[in-house]
Every structure is written in structure tokens, then in C-alpha cells.
Coordinates of all heavy atoms in Angstrom, one line a residue:
V1 N 2.1 12.2 8.7 CA 0.8 12.1 9.3 C 0.1 13.5 9.4 O 0.8 14.5 9.7 CB 1.0 11.5 10.8 CG1 -0.4 11.5 11.4 CG2 1.6 10.2 10.7
K2 N -1.1 13.5 9.0 CA -1.9 14.8 9.0 C -2.3 15.1 10.4 O -2.6 14.2 11.2 CB -3.1 14.6 8.1 CG -2.8 14.4 6.6 CD -4.1 14.2 5.9 CE -3.8 14.0 4.4 NZ -5.1 13.8 3.6
P3 N -2.3 16.4 10.7 CA -2.8 16.9 12.1 C -4.2 16.4 12.3 O -5.1 16.4 11.4 CB -2.7 18.4 12.0 CG -1.7 18.7 10.9 CD -1.9 17.6 9.9
G4 N -4.5 16.0 13.5 CA -5.9 15.5 13.9 C -6.2 14.1 13.4 O -7.3 13.7 13.4
T5 N -5.1 13.3 13.2 CA -5.4 11.9 12.7 C -5.9 11.1 13.9 O -5.4 11.1 15.0 CB -4.0 11.3 12.3 OG1 -3.6 11.9 11.1 CG2 -4.2 9.8 12.0
Q6 N -7.0 10.4 13.6 CA -7.7 9.6 14.6 C -7.1 8.2 14.6 O -6.5 7.7 13.6 CB -9.2 9.5 14.4 CG -9.9 10.9 14.4 CD -9.7 11.6 15.7 OE1 -10.1 11.0 16.7 NE2 -9.3 12.8 15.7
T7 N -7.2 7.5 15.8 CA -6.7 6.1 15.8 C -7.5 5.2 14.9 O -8.7 5.5 14.6 CB -6.8 5.6 17.3 OG1 -6.1 4.3 17.4 CG2 -8.3 5.3 17.7
D8 N -6.9 4.2 14.4 CA -7.5 3.2 13.4 C -7.7 3.9 12.0 O -8.4 3.3 11.2 CB -8.9 2.7 13.9 CG -8.7 1.7 15.1 OD1 -7.6 1.2 15.2 OD2 -9.7 1.6 15.8
T9 N -7.0 5.0 11.8 CA -7.0 5.5 10.4 C -6.1 4.7 9.5 O -5.0 4.3 9.9 CB -6.4 7.0 10.4 OG1 -7.3 7.8 11.2 CG2 -6.3 7.5 9.0
R10 N -6.7 4.3 8.4 CA -5.9 3.4 7.4 C -5.3 4.3 6.3 O -6.0 5.0 5.7 CB -6.8 2.3 6.9 CG -6.1 1.5 5.8 CD -7.0 0.3 5.3 NE -7.1 -0.7 6.4 CZ -7.8 -1.9 6.2 NH1 -8.4 -2.1 5.0 NH2 -7.9 -2.7 7.1
I11 N -4.0 4.1 6.1 CA -3.4 4.7 5.0 C -2.9 3.7 4.0 O -2.7 2.5 4.3 CB -2.2 5.6 5.5 CG1 -1.1 4.7 6.1 CG2 -2.7 6.7 6.5 CD1 0.1 5.4 6.5
R12 N -2.6 4.1 2.7 CA -2.1 3.2 1.7 C -0.8 3.6 1.2 O -0.5 4.8 0.8 CB -3.1 3.2 0.5 CG -2.7 2.2 -0.6 CD -3.7 2.2 -1.7 NE -3.6 3.4 -2.5 CZ -4.1 3.4 -3.8 NH1 -4.6 2.4 -4.4 NH2 -4.0 4.6 -4.5
L13 N 0.2 2.7 1.2 CA 1.5 2.9 0.6 C 1.5 2.2 -0.7 O 1.6 1.0 -0.8 CB 2.6 2.3 1.5 CG 2.6 2.8 3.0 CD1 3.7 2.2 3.8 CD2 2.8 4.4 3.0
K14 N 1.3 3.0 -1.8 CA 1.1 2.4 -3.1 C 2.4 1.7 -3.6 O 3.5 2.2 -3.5 CB 0.7 3.5 -4.1 CG 0.2 3.0 -5.4 CD -0.4 4.1 -6.3 CE -0.9 3.6 -7.6 NZ -1.4 4.7 -8.4
G15 N 2.2 0.5 -4.2 CA 3.3 -0.2 -4.8 C 4.2 -0.9 -3.8 O 5.3 -1.3 -4.2
K16 N 3.8 -1.0 -2.5 CA 4.6 -1.6 -1.5 C 4.1 -3.0 -1.1 O 4.5 -3.5 -0.1 CB 4.7 -0.7 -0.3 CG 5.4 0.6 -0.5 CD 6.9 0.4 -0.8 CE 7.7 1.7 -1.0 NZ 9.1 1.5 -1.3
G17 N 3.3 -3.6 -2.0 CA 2.7 -4.9 -1.7 C 3.5 -6.0 -2.3 O 4.7 -5.9 -2.5
V18 N 2.7 -7.1 -2.7 CA 3.3 -8.3 -3.3 C 3.3 -8.2 -4.8 O 2.3 -7.8 -5.4 CB 2.5 -9.5 -2.8 CG1 3.1 -10.8 -3.3 CG2 2.5 -9.6 -1.3
P19 N 4.4 -8.6 -5.4 CA 4.4 -8.6 -6.9 C 3.5 -9.6 -7.5 O 3.2 -10.6 -6.9 CB 5.9 -9.0 -7.2 CG 6.7 -8.8 -6.0 CD 5.7 -9.0 -4.9
S20 N 3.0 -9.4 -8.7 CA 2.2 -10.3 -9.4 C 3.1 -11.5 -9.9 O 4.2 -11.3 -10.4 CB 1.5 -9.6 -10.6 OG 0.9 -10.6 -11.5
L21 N 2.5 -12.7 -9.9 CA 3.2 -13.8 -10.4 C 3.4 -13.7 -11.9 O 4.4 -14.3 -12.4 CB 2.4 -15.1 -10.1 CG 2.6 -15.7 -8.7 CD1 1.7 -16.9 -8.5 CD2 4.1 -16.2 -8.5
R22 N 2.5 -13.1 -12.6 CA 2.7 -12.9 -14.0 C 3.7 -11.8 -14.4 O 4.3 -11.9 -15.5 CB 1.3 -12.6 -14.7 CG 0.3 -13.7 -14.5 CD -1.0 -13.4 -15.3 NE -1.9 -14.5 -15.2 CZ -2.8 -14.7 -14.3 NH1 -2.8 -13.8 -13.2 NH2 -3.6 -15.7 -14.3
N23 N 3.8 -10.8 -13.6 CA 4.7 -9.7 -13.9 C 5.2 -9.1 -12.6 O 4.5 -8.5 -11.9 CB 4.0 -8.6 -14.7 CG 4.9 -7.5 -15.1 OD1 6.1 -7.5 -14.8 ND2 4.4 -6.5 -15.9
K24 N 6.5 -9.4 -12.2 CA 7.0 -9.0 -10.9 C 7.1 -7.5 -10.8 O 7.3 -7.0 -9.7 CB 8.3 -9.7 -10.7 CG 9.4 -9.3 -11.6 CD 10.7 -10.0 -11.3 CE 11.9 -9.6 -12.2 NZ 13.1 -10.3 -11.9
N25 N 7.0 -6.8 -11.9 CA 7.1 -5.3 -11.9 C 5.8 -4.7 -11.4 O 5.7 -3.5 -11.2 CB 7.5 -4.8 -13.2 CG 8.9 -5.2 -13.6 OD1 9.8 -5.2 -12.7 ND2 9.2 -5.5 -14.9
V26 N 4.7 -5.5 -11.4 CA 3.4 -5.0 -11.0 C 3.2 -5.5 -9.5 O 3.2 -6.7 -9.3 CB 2.3 -5.5 -11.9 CG1 0.9 -5.1 -11.4 CG2 2.5 -5.1 -13.3
R27 N 3.0 -4.5 -8.6 CA 2.9 -4.9 -7.2 C 1.6 -4.3 -6.6 O 1.1 -3.3 -7.1 CB 4.1 -4.3 -6.4 CG 5.4 -4.9 -6.8 CD 6.6 -4.3 -6.0 NE 6.4 -4.6 -4.5 CZ 7.3 -4.3 -3.6 NH1 8.5 -3.7 -4.0 NH2 7.1 -4.5 -2.4
G28 N 1.2 -5.0 -5.6 CA 0.0 -4.5 -4.8 C 0.4 -3.4 -3.9 O 1.5 -2.8 -4.0
D29 N -0.5 -3.1 -3.0 CA -0.3 -2.0 -2.0 C -0.1 -2.5 -0.6 O -0.5 -3.6 -0.3 CB -1.5 -1.0 -2.1 CG -1.7 -0.4 -3.5 OD1 -0.6 -0.3 -4.2 OD2 -2.8 -0.2 -3.9
H30 N 0.4 -1.6 0.2 CA 0.5 -1.9 1.6 C -0.4 -1.0 2.4 O -0.2 0.2 2.4 CB 2.0 -1.7 2.1 CG 2.3 -2.1 3.5 ND1 3.6 -2.3 4.0 CD2 1.5 -2.4 4.5 CE1 3.5 -2.7 5.2 NE2 2.2 -2.7 5.6

């Protein structure tokens, strides 16, 4: 977490989402 982070700050965890039905190696984000 960066210093001075405000509440309701949204961060992205890349590649931690749901896999694609067409290619399970391709995932969304969290």
C-alpha cells in the first residue's frame, strides 16, 4: 500500500480474475 492511501481507493490485481471459457490460460483481473 502506498503512503497516503485514501479510503475507497481501487487497486487492480492483474490476472487474478476468471478464466476465459475459450482459453483458460487467459484470465480477467481482480
Side-chain angles (χ1 to χ4, degrees):
V1 176
K2 296 179 180 179
T5 296
Q6 302 297 309
T7 192
D8 292 335
T9 297
R10 176 176 287 184
I11 63 174
R12 183 178 73 160
L13 304 178
K14 193 173 182 180
K16 294 296 182 181
V18 180
S20 169
L21 278 172
R22 295 184 176 88
N23 184 357
K24 65 179 181 180
N25 295 321
V26 178
R27 295 180 61 175
D29 301 326
H30 186 164

